[in-house]
Amino acid sequence: MPEHAHEHAHEHGHDHGHSHGPGHHHGSGKTLLFALVFTTAFAAVEVFGGLIADSLALLSDAGHMFTDSLSLGVGAFAAWLARKPASRQHSFGLKRAEMLGALFNVLFMFGVIVFIAYEAIRRIGDTPPVAGGTVLAIGALGLLVNLVVAWVLMRGEQSVNVRGALLHVMGDLLGSVAALAAGAIIYFGGPPVVDPILSLLVSLLILFSAVRLLREVTHVLMEGVPKGIDAREVGDALVEVDGVLAIHDMHIWSLSSNSQALAAHVDVDAMDRWAAILPQLQHLLRERFAITHSTLQPEDASIRRACDADPDCGAGDSVWQPDGGPGAA
């Protein structure tokens, strides 16, 4: 195999893979910073109102808001790190900072859920008087603020990091609804115990979303095939390119929520055709599967067949051929 063929395949895919990243991460960083300012300011208001009204619904919502502030700060910092270019120490750059930020946010959210659930259960047995009017007013204002922040986040780039922050904000939105409902019920003569009960309900709802996001982040960190991409479909599509006889040793993974990578060995019928085959493969990966970072190594099909006949050769894991399915080359 000519040395320059492999180098060309790797370098072209690497350069293209980084061409889309910075702008997206920059946009997510600005979105997260905007949301951070709104969230932090109102969290202070809710703490003050919760202490005056002695409302767990308000204090739990304020707790969510402060974790949101931390979440959004971590997210913005991770988005900034993800824009850093590749280096000798980090050949892919720091794209995975996005996943680490989302993982931190989810784990921290679990801690908040446990704390609020504990407080809610304790207060159900001994509920203090709650100032319903104050809870009602601040809950309504909190709902408005959370709607604005959620709207900004949903309009921005939907990276895993932003969705992790959005999880916190949606939790706050539910908390504001709970505070609003608790304040209205208590204000119009209902029992104060509704305050901790609604706080407990909100915590359980947030828990389901947190578990779902944790599974997604873990899948990426474990180098799983990106969501929405079928490895078999990718292999079948690649072998349909004229001149490609088989694909083997193919691996697909995520660098970040917006950057997928692929590495594969490509058996070609003639090595001198590689310069024409390579751009076709990269165009296919980019346009059909949104895989923008590809490392494709050409191999002479005759050498591959000889390798398959030798049990000590160490042939690749999966082989895709034009007549369908993974199978023996």
Side-chain angles (χ1 to χ4, degrees):
M1 179 191 70
E3 184 70 19
H4 67 276
H6 184 194
E7 291 176 356
H8 178 69
H10 176 78
E11 290 172 8
H12 185 91
H14 180 82
D15 290 341
H16 188 88
H18 283 276
S19 63
H20 296 303
H24 288 302
H25 289 296
H26 181 65
S28 66
K30 290 170 63 177
T31 301
L32 291 169
L33 282 174
F34 175 83
L36 173 63
V37 173
F38 266 77
T39 304
T40 304
F42 189 72
V45 173
E46 280 200 314
V47 168
F48 181 73
L51 292 174
I52 292 178
D54 200 11
S55 167
L56 179 61
L58 272 186
L59 290 175
S60 65
D61 195 30
H64 286 162
M65 294 287 269
F66 273 122
T67 61
D68 284 349
S69 298
L70 180 60
S71 162
L72 294 166
V74 169
F77 181 65
W80 175 76
L81 284 178
R83 301 204 316 268
K84 295 295 183 181
S87 66
R88 291 183 179 179
Q89 290 76 27
H90 302 93
S91 59
F92 280 115
L94 297 174
K95 293 179 181 291
R96 281 288 170 85
E98 175 193 26
M99 295 298 159
L100 295 178
L103 179 62
F104 173 85
N105 287 332
V106 172
L107 295 179
F108 194 76
M109 196 65 193
F110 283 140
V112 173
I113 291 171
V114 169
F115 173 75
I116 293 174
Y118 169 79
E119 279 295 309
I121 293 173
R122 187 179 67 82
R123 287 196 176 206
I124 288 175
D126 183 19
T127 308
V130 178
T134 303
V135 176
L136 178 62
I138 296 181
L141 182 57
L143 178 62
L144 178 61
V145 170
N146 284 312
L147 284 173
V148 171
V149 173
W151 180 78
V152 170
L153 289 176
M154 285 189 290
R155 282 179 57 88
E157 179 211 4
Q158 292 305 297
S159 67
V160 170
N161 207 16
V162 170
R163 294 210 317 274
L166 183 59
L167 168 64
H168 285 263
V169 174
M170 294 305 291
D172 280 339
L173 197 150
L174 291 174
S176 294
V177 171
L180 184 62
I185 291 172
I186 295 170
Y187 182 75
F188 290 106
V193 73
V194 73
D195 183 79
I197 289 176
L198 287 176
S199 298
L200 184 60
L201 178 61
V202 169
S203 296
L204 292 176
L205 292 174
I206 299 170
L207 179 62
F208 289 114
S209 297
V211 170
R212 188 163 54 247
L213 183 60
L214 178 61
R215 290 177 60 186
E216 183 176 348
V217 172
T218 303
H219 182 74
V220 173
L221 294 178
M222 293 297 292
E223 306 285 352
V225 175
K227 184 179 179 181
I229 295 180
D230 185 330
R232 182 182 293 274
E233 184 182 352
V234 174
D236 289 343
L238 292 175
V239 297
E240 291 176 359
V241 174
D242 184 42
V244 176
L245 300 183
I247 300 291
H248 58 97
D249 289 323
M250 185 177 72
H251 304 280
I252 311 173
W253 70 99
S254 294
L255 300 174
S256 68
S257 60
N258 298 298
S259 180
Q260 280 64 249
L262 175 146
H265 291 204
V266 184
D267 289 356
V268 293
D269 56 4
M271 291 299 293
D272 57 5
R273 296 187 60 189
W274 180 243
I277 294 173
L278 173 62
Q280 296 179 59
L281 295 175
Q282 291 174 327
H283 178 78
L284 172 66
L285 292 172
R286 181 173 62 250
E287 299 302 322
R288 183 168 170 181
F289 301 102
I291 298 175
T292 56
H293 183 115
S294 56
T295 301
L296 302 170
Q297 178 174 329
E299 293 185 355
D300 192 314
S302 61
I303 297 177
R304 169 71 183 180
R305 284 192 292 269
C307 183
D308 286 337
D310 182 358
D312 298 324
C313 178
D317 339 0
S318 301
V319 179
W320 275 266
Q321 294 178 291
D323 55 356

